[in-house]
Amino acid sequence: MSENNITFNDSTGGTPVEELTYEQARTELMQVVTRMESGASSLEESIALWERGEALAARCEAWLDGAQARLAAAKAEPNHAENHGS
């Protein structure tokens, strides 16, 4: 299978997924979904979009899991309510 260059409308396309912020990954993932729903021009492009979309979805999930872990850790801190006035 040949390498397919897929371009996106914003500056995140082509950036390694592991370097994207949550917002960048989510925006690019929405672009991937839109392009797939509109019908990619070839099977190779569809596969490349699918693979990029899977990686972007995993990146978003990792960011959300990390945020959830940070919130849980903050709630578990002793005297959390006293320190934060809640």
Side-chain angles (χ1 to χ4, degrees), residues 13-29:
T15 301
V17 172
E18 56 277 356
E19 294 178 12
L20 297 176
T21 66
Y22 171 79
E23 290 79 9
Q24 289 171 324
R26 186 190 65 207
T27 298
E28 188 178 333
L29 179 57

Side-chain angles (χ1 to χ4, degrees), residues 32-52:
V32 167
V33 170
T34 299
R35 287 185 63 183
M36 290 188 74
E37 287 177 344
S38 69
S41 62
S42 69
L43 177 59
E44 286 189 31
E45 183 180 10
S46 295
I47 291 169
L49 285 168
W50 178 269
E51 290 171 344
R52 181 74 175 181

